Amino acid sequence: MSILGLPPNVPTTGPAHFDIVNVIRPNILALHPYRCARDDYTEGILLDANENALGHSIERVNSDQIFDQDLHRYPDPAQNAIKARIAAMRGLGKEATDHVFLGVGSDEVLDLLLRVCVTPGKDKILTTPPTYGMYSVCAQINDVGVVQVPLELSGTNGEGGETGRFSVQVSKVKAAIDADPSIKLIFICSPGNPTGTLVPLSIVRELLEYPGFKGIVVVDEAYIDFASADASAVSLVKEYGNVCVLQTLSKSFGLAGVRLGAGIARPPLIQVLTNAKAPYNISTPTAHIALSALSDGSIAAMRANIATTIENRAALLAGLSTIPDVGPAIGGNDANFVVVPILSKDRSGPDNARAQKLYKLLAEENGVVVRFRGNEPGCLACLRITIGTAEENKEVVAKMKKVLGEI
C-alpha cells in the first residue's frame, strides 16, 4: 500500500530494514483527506469556501495591539473570558463558562469528541449525507465506523425560487440505532453543508429523548447565525446532557483565518474534553482577536453583516433564476451559500458533466471560484455558491450566463 499524495518516485524505505508504510496504521494509509476549497484554486472571486465575503466585523481601535500581548509566555489554558462572552451571547449567561469548550476551529472539537467517546475498531458514528466531509475523515483517522442515513429531498416550498428541502429521516435514524448499538455519536449539521437546510429543534429533541440511543447528539451549527434567531440547539443544553453544539467564529464573524471554534454542552462533557485537550490549544493572538470579535460593538457589526448577507442571498437567488440553464436552488437556503443544479443544454434535467465543466471554466478562465458538489448524494449536477458582495454576486451571475451559453 502506498501513501496517498506522495509521488511514486519518493522512496518510503531507508535504512534497508525500515519502510514507513509498515509503521503507519492501515486505516490512515487508506485515508482520503478532506479536500479544502483552497486545494484547487486560490485566486479570483472566491465564492467556494463559505467564508464571510464582507470580512470581519471587529471594531478597529489599535491594529497593533496584538504585538503588545505577552507573546513570550504560554497562553491562558482556560480562556474563561472568551467562554464567558460566548456563553452570554448564546443565552446561557456569562457565568456559564463551564458549558463552553474552545478548540482550534470546531474541527478540533469534532475530532476530540470522537477520541473521547468512540472506541477505535469497535464503536461507530452516524451521519446524514450529504453533509460535512470531516465527520467521515475524522472517523477514519480514529479507526471508527460510519453508519449513513441519507437526508431526504422532497417537496417544494415555493419561497425564493427554492425547490425541495432536505430532512432528517428520524424513523430511519432510530432503526439504524436499534440495528447497531455500537453507534456513540450522531452528527446533525444544521444548517447543513452543503444542503443549507436548518434542522428543526423538534427533530433534535426527538433524537435526544429516544431511549434506544445511549450516546451523544452533536449538532454542528457553523452557519446558525444566518438562520432564524431561535433556531439554535444551544437552547437544549440546559435540559439535555446528551447534546453537544459546535459553533465557530469562521462564518458569521468573518474570522476563518483565526481558527476558533466552540463546543457547548453540559459541564460533565466539557470537563472530559478539557481533560483530553492539548495544554495550550488556543494561542494568545487568537484569544486577543476573539475577545475583540466578541465585544458588544463587534457583535452588533457582525449582526449587521448578517443582515446584508441575507439581502445579498436573496439577490443572488433572483439573479440565478434569470439563467435558463440553472435550476431552482435546492435545500433551505438557511446559510451563507446556495446550491443550484446545472441543467443539460435541452434543459431536460441535471447534467453533472456540464456542471463540472462550468465549475472549471469559471475558475480557470473567468476568475470566479465556486464549489462543485455534483457527486454528493442528492446534489446531482450542483454547484455551491457562497454569498459574495453585491458586486461579486452580479459578476458570478454574468459569468455563469456567459459560460453556459458556450458549453
Side-chain angles (χ1 to χ4, degrees):
M1 187 176 286
S2 60
I3 297 175
L4 187 67
L6 186 72
N9 62 333
V10 176
T12 61
T13 58
H17 66 274
F18 173 78
D19 188 339
I20 193 172
V21 171
N22 297 328
V23 179
I24 306 303
R25 289 159 52 194
N27 61 299
I28 301 299
L29 286 174
L31 175 68
H32 284 261
Y34 180 76
R35 283 195 61 77
C36 301
R38 293 295 170 268
D39 284 339
D40 294 329
Y41 304 106
T42 59
E43 297 179 348
I45 297 176
L46 300 175
L47 304 179
D48 56 336
N50 299 343
E51 299 148 328
N52 191 326
L54 302 179
H56 68 75
S57 44
I58 297 175
E59 291 181 297
R60 296 179 186 271
V61 184
N62 271 318
S63 59
D64 290 334
Q65 279 183 343
I66 197 165
F67 298 105
D68 296 330
Q69 305 300 306
D70 290 330
L71 300 180
H72 62 299
R73 303 293 185 192
Y74 284 110
D76 176 6
Q79 301 292 353
N80 282 326
I82 298 174
K83 293 176 183 178
R85 291 190 183 184
I86 290 175
M89 181 182 66
R90 296 310 185 192
L92 295 174
K94 65 181 181 180
E95 72 284 349
T97 56
D98 57 353
H99 285 66
V100 182
F101 175 83
L102 301 178
V104 182
S106 54
D107 288 333
E108 184 187 18
V109 192
L110 156 64
D111 182 66
L112 201 53
L113 281 166
L114 265 80
R115 288 194 281 138
V116 302
C117 296
V118 191
T119 303
K122 176 183 175 183
D123 295 331
K124 298 174 184 175
I125 67 170
L126 185 147
T127 66
T128 57
T131 193
Y132 182 39
M134 276 302 293
Y135 307 146
S136 294
V137 170
C138 284
Q140 186 163 351
I141 291 171
N142 288 285
D143 197 15
V144 165
V146 180
V147 175
Q148 296 185 333
V149 179
L151 298 173
E152 184 173 288
L153 178 63
S154 60
T156 302
N157 64 20
E159 298 175 3
E162 306 163 12
T163 179
R165 289 184 70 90
F166 286 93
S167 58
V168 175
Q169 301 303 293
V170 177
S171 61
K172 293 181 180 179
V173 172
K174 290 180 179 179
I177 292 166
D178 292 341
D180 194 340
S182 70
I183 296 171
K184 292 292 184 66
L185 298 175
I186 296 174
F187 284 94
I188 302 293
C189 195
S190 177
N193 176 17
T195 67
T197 301
L198 186 72
V199 177
L201 290 184
S202 59
I203 287 180
V204 179
R205 188 183 293 271
E206 187 172 352
L207 293 174
L208 293 172
E209 294 181 349
Y210 183 54
F213 180 55
K214 311 301 183 185
I216 295 170
V217 178
V218 183
V219 185
D220 188 345
E221 294 188 343
Y223 303 96
I224 194 64
D225 290 320
F226 301 102
S228 57
D230 58 352
S232 174
V234 172
S235 62
L236 303 176
V237 165
K238 291 284 190 179
E239 187 178 353
Y240 296 96
N242 55 341
V243 64
C244 182
V245 182
L246 305 185
Q247 296 191 347
T248 179
L249 297 191
S250 294
K251 309 302 181 182
S252 58
F253 283 88
L255 291 171
V258 170
R259 308 307 301 133
L260 184 76
I264 303 174
R266 295 271 289 275
L269 178 57
I270 296 302
Q271 188 60 57
V272 170
L273 293 172
T274 301
N275 293 347
K277 77 175 183 69
Y280 308 107
N281 63 328
I282 307 302
S283 73
T284 297
T286 292
H288 177 74
I289 294 171
L291 278 173
S292 297
L294 291 164
S295 69
D296 291 343
S298 294
I299 290 174
M302 176 270 285
R303 288 176 174 151
N305 276 350
I306 288 172
T308 300
T309 297
I310 291 173
E311 290 177 4
N312 289 347
R313 183 174 68 195
L316 177 59
L317 284 168
L320 292 170
S321 70
T322 67
I323 307 177
D325 292 359
V326 175
I330 65 172
N333 295 331
D334 296 315
N336 68 333
F337 58 85
V338 297
V339 180
V340 292
I342 305 304
L343 307 179
S344 59
K345 285 187 74 69
D346 62 6
R347 297 165 195 162
S348 59
D351 186 330
N352 216 37
R354 195 179 189 210
Q356 195 158 27
K357 189 172 184 179
L358 172 62
Y359 156 70
K360 290 183 69 66
L361 288 174
L362 282 174
E364 295 173 6
E365 298 183 14
N366 292 271
V368 173
V369 184
V370 297
R371 200 92 189 261
F372 174 71
R373 279 290 176 256
N375 296 329
E376 299 273 347
C379 298
L380 181 67
C382 282
L383 299 183
R384 191 190 71 192
I385 307 171
T386 304
I387 309 304
T389 64
E391 294 74 20
E392 288 172 337
N393 291 337
K394 290 176 183 177
E395 185 79 2
V396 71
V397 169
K399 292 292 178 64
M400 285 179 68
K401 190 176 296 186
K402 177 181 82 72
V403 175
L404 283 170
E406 300 168 349
I407 62 174

